[in-house]
Amino acid sequence: MPVSRVASGHAFLRLFSLLELVLVLRNYVSTTVSSRAESLLPAVGVAIFFLAFGGQGVRNLFGWVGFGVIAGIVLIAAWVIFFLAGRAVTLRRLSLSVSSYILVCCLSVIWSQYRLETFGSALITLATSSAGVLVAIAFPLRQMLDVFTQAMKIIVAASYALELWVSLAVGHRIPPMYMRNWKEVPELYYWVNDALFKGGPIQGFVGNRNPLAFIALLLMLCVLVLWAEDRTHHLRNGAWLLACVGILVLTGSATVFVAMLVSVSALVFFLIIRRLGFYERRFAVRVALTAAASFLLVAVIMKDQVTILLGRSSDMTGRGVIWQKLLELWQQHPFLGWGWVVLWPPWLPLFKNLVVRPDGTPTMQAHNAYIEALFQTGIVGLMLLAFAVLWVMIRIFRVALRDLETDLVPTLAAVLMLAMFVQSFTESRLLTEGNWVLFVAFATWLKVRAESYDFHPPRRAVPGGRTSTTAAS
């Protein structure tokens, strides 16, 4: 054999060995990076939910620009870790109903009466929506709600710590950090009012009693369901329940109180019918829906008495004035609305004097998600939003009933969604920040995971020895 041919053979073997070594190293690095990214995903989920629900507290600390930088870094890092962990996003994983509403919000920059603000709001909506998609695909439902629970615990703990520090160490109310040098801070802009030992209302880390109370309600529902599911850590769970109840009492939020009554009642109902058979459970659901519809009808007819019972005025603490003015404005642009904005920009003449609060500051939301959608995106946007909300509500309750005997986690998702649904009639928060992230996460989860297999009810014997199957309700 010629020497040149032998040398070529050795060179080929060395090249092959080198390529094999490169592939081994590549697989090792890829596996290591993927494993490390996987371990970081829970922290990413906690950070997303914390910033989404506790964003106002972060803004009070670092200002709007600081918050924007922090949120941008966290979101970019989250998506990098998401892809490094081997996750992927495809169009079939996105909810068509929710995506359609997002598309209208973004396209409204074309016909908006305030295009620059609508463009910025569209970017924010895309960012928060992407965060909801990320957490839904990154985690199974149980793990997603675990990281959500951890984020809510951090906000509740930070709220107590901040209130204690202000009451014991500072001794007077404090404004947001970026307002410290203002000559005059509006009454409603103060961060903490030093009211912890004065019977409230407290505002906590988020600087607003209504969002703080709602966060406490969401955490209470999480603790109750996961406690009932696992039946462990009794002292720890009991302590968190007491912490949530304490915030609900000290905030005194009537709107959250109503959401609590509805969601806790639904949870108790689910736990009661859990031991029933399929057909008995379906009958109980029909009875409960009939009773709920009747109760709602009575509440609407006797709304004045109900609001007095809740210690509020008949126009829902000024909300009636806001809704009336928005409906008058909507009539000028009925089909596509005035244009999408996350919060009403107070520097625009339209919003600056639209509804002025007692301390002289402008109102920054409609206090009703559906009137907000009607005003900003017209009849088209309202119909898309209503369809998306109903789709998520119906599907999430069907899944909860389907898995009720074996898994309470979908029940937790259902009561959380119910609480947000009830709140959406007195607050616009379903469309922004934390509530929107969680809503998009539920919609994506329903699309990706919950519909991955069909539910078939048990076969029931009928006269003549035959069996029949009735479709699930």
Side-chain angles (χ1 to χ4, degrees):
M1 180 180 294
V3 175
S4 60
R5 184 175 297 178
V6 173
S8 298
H10 286 306
F12 177 77
L13 288 175
R14 285 196 297 270
L15 179 60
F16 181 79
S17 299
L18 181 61
L19 289 174
E20 188 176 26
L21 178 61
V22 169
L23 289 175
V24 169
L25 289 174
R26 178 189 172 188
N27 290 335
Y28 173 77
V29 171
S30 177
T31 302
T32 303
V33 170
S34 178
S35 176
R36 181 59 177 165
E38 187 75 30
S39 68
L40 290 174
L41 276 177
V44 166
V46 172
I48 286 175
F49 281 124
F50 174 79
L51 285 175
F53 280 89
Q56 185 58 48
V58 180
R59 288 191 288 271
N60 288 345
L61 272 175
F62 302 104
W64 286 83
V65 175
F67 170 77
V69 171
I70 293 171
I73 292 173
V74 168
L75 187 60
I76 292 172
W79 277 108
V80 171
I81 293 171
F82 176 88
F83 288 118
L84 289 177
R87 304 296 196 274
V89 179
T90 57
L91 288 178
R92 68 178 182 83
R93 293 185 166 192
L94 303 179
S95 166
L96 178 61
S97 58
V98 176
S99 300
S100 299
Y101 176 70
I102 296 172
L103 181 62
V104 168
C105 289
C106 294
L107 289 178
S108 70
V109 70
I110 299 173
W111 60 83
S112 174
Q113 307 303 307
Y114 28 80
R115 291 186 178 180
L116 181 61
E117 288 77 9
T118 296
F119 179 75
S121 294
L123 294 179
I124 293 172
T125 298
L126 288 173
T128 53
S129 302
S130 73
V133 171
L134 185 152
V135 294
I137 297 177
F139 307 109
L141 181 63
R142 171 59 191 258
Q143 192 176 5
M144 183 182 82
L145 292 179
D146 279 339
V147 299
F148 172 77
T149 302
Q150 294 303 314
M152 298 305 100
K153 286 180 177 179
I154 293 173
I155 296 174
V156 166
S159 295
Y160 273 113
L162 181 60
E163 291 282 350
L164 279 170
W165 176 70
V166 170
S167 294
L168 298 178
V170 179
H172 57 80
R173 61 183 183 174
I174 61 172
M177 295 296 101
Y178 65 92
M179 296 184 187
R180 286 178 298 174
N181 297 323
W182 287 20
K183 292 182 178 180
E184 183 179 354
V185 177
E187 185 72 23
L188 295 177
Y189 284 7
Y190 273 91
W191 187 4
V192 181
N193 286 322
D194 184 24
L196 181 62
F197 299 119
K198 300 174 183 177
I202 63 172
Q203 303 194 135
F205 180 74
V206 294
N208 189 314
R209 67 173 179 166
N210 288 322
L212 177 62
F214 194 68
I215 288 168
L217 171 60
L218 298 181
L219 177 57
M220 183 176 73
L221 293 172
C222 291
V223 172
L224 283 172
V225 175
L226 297 179
W227 193 2
E229 178 78 353
D230 298 336
R231 300 181 184 276
T232 57
H233 306 298
H234 302 301
L235 290 177
R236 184 189 309 169
N237 289 326
W240 281 113
L241 276 183
L242 287 176
C244 293
V245 171
I247 286 180
L248 290 170
V249 171
L250 289 170
T251 50
S253 172
T255 56
V256 174
F257 178 74
V258 173
M260 180 186 70
L261 283 180
V262 175
S263 55
V264 172
S265 297
L267 175 57
V268 171
F269 175 75
F270 271 108
L271 294 177
I272 291 174
I273 68 171
R274 191 182 190 191
R275 299 183 180 278
L276 299 179
F278 172 79
Y279 294 98
E280 293 80 7
R281 189 184 307 150
R282 188 171 64 175
F283 175 76
V285 169
R286 289 173 176 172
V287 171
L289 288 175
T290 302
S294 302
F295 181 80
L296 178 62
L297 180 61
V298 172
V300 171
I301 295 173
M302 303 180 63
K303 66 180 182 66
D304 292 342
Q305 291 83 348
V306 172
T307 52
I308 291 173
L309 184 64
L310 294 172
R312 296 294 184 268
S313 60
S314 59
D315 71 339
M316 300 295 291
T317 319
R319 287 174 172 83
V321 175
I322 301 173
W323 300 340
Q324 181 181 356
K325 291 190 175 183
L326 288 182
L327 290 176
E328 291 173 358
L329 287 172
W330 161 71
Q331 294 175 18
Q332 299 179 30
H333 304 279
F335 293 104
L336 296 175
W338 284 71
W340 169 244
V341 283
V342 173
L343 290 174
W344 297 356
W347 56 85
L348 292 179
L350 173 65
F351 299 111
K352 186 175 182 179
N353 299 310
L354 183 60
V355 181
V356 179
R357 297 183 290 189
D359 67 341
T361 57
T363 299
M364 298 181 70
Q365 59 156 314
H367 289 279
N368 182 298
Y370 311 101
I371 293 178
E372 189 86 79
L374 181 66
F375 164 64
Q376 296 188 23
T377 55
I379 295 174
V380 174
L382 174 62
M383 291 178 64
L384 290 173
L385 175 65
F387 180 81
V389 171
L390 288 176
W391 180 82
V392 172
M393 285 285 293
I394 292 171
R395 293 301 305 173
I396 206 166
F397 271 86
R398 288 192 66 184
V399 173
L401 289 169
R402 180 191 71 189
D403 298 342
L404 189 56
E405 292 183 29
T406 59
D407 188 5
L408 279 177
V409 176
T411 298
L412 173 56
V415 294
L416 290 175
M417 183 61 215
L418 180 60
M420 293 195 297
F421 177 69
V422 173
Q423 190 200 38
S424 68
F425 290 95
T426 54
E427 300 285 346
S428 301
R429 300 183 190 279
L430 179 64
L431 307 179
T432 60
E433 295 194 291
N435 287 26
W436 181 253
V437 170
L438 189 58
F439 175 68
V440 172
F442 284 151
T444 306
W445 166 71
L446 286 168
K447 187 75 175 178
V448 173
R449 302 183 186 277
E451 295 183 346
S452 58
Y453 61 93
D454 294 326
F455 170 65
H456 301 286
R459 303 178 73 83
R460 181 168 58 180
V462 297
R466 296 170 298 163
T467 59
S468 67
T469 301
T470 305
S473 59

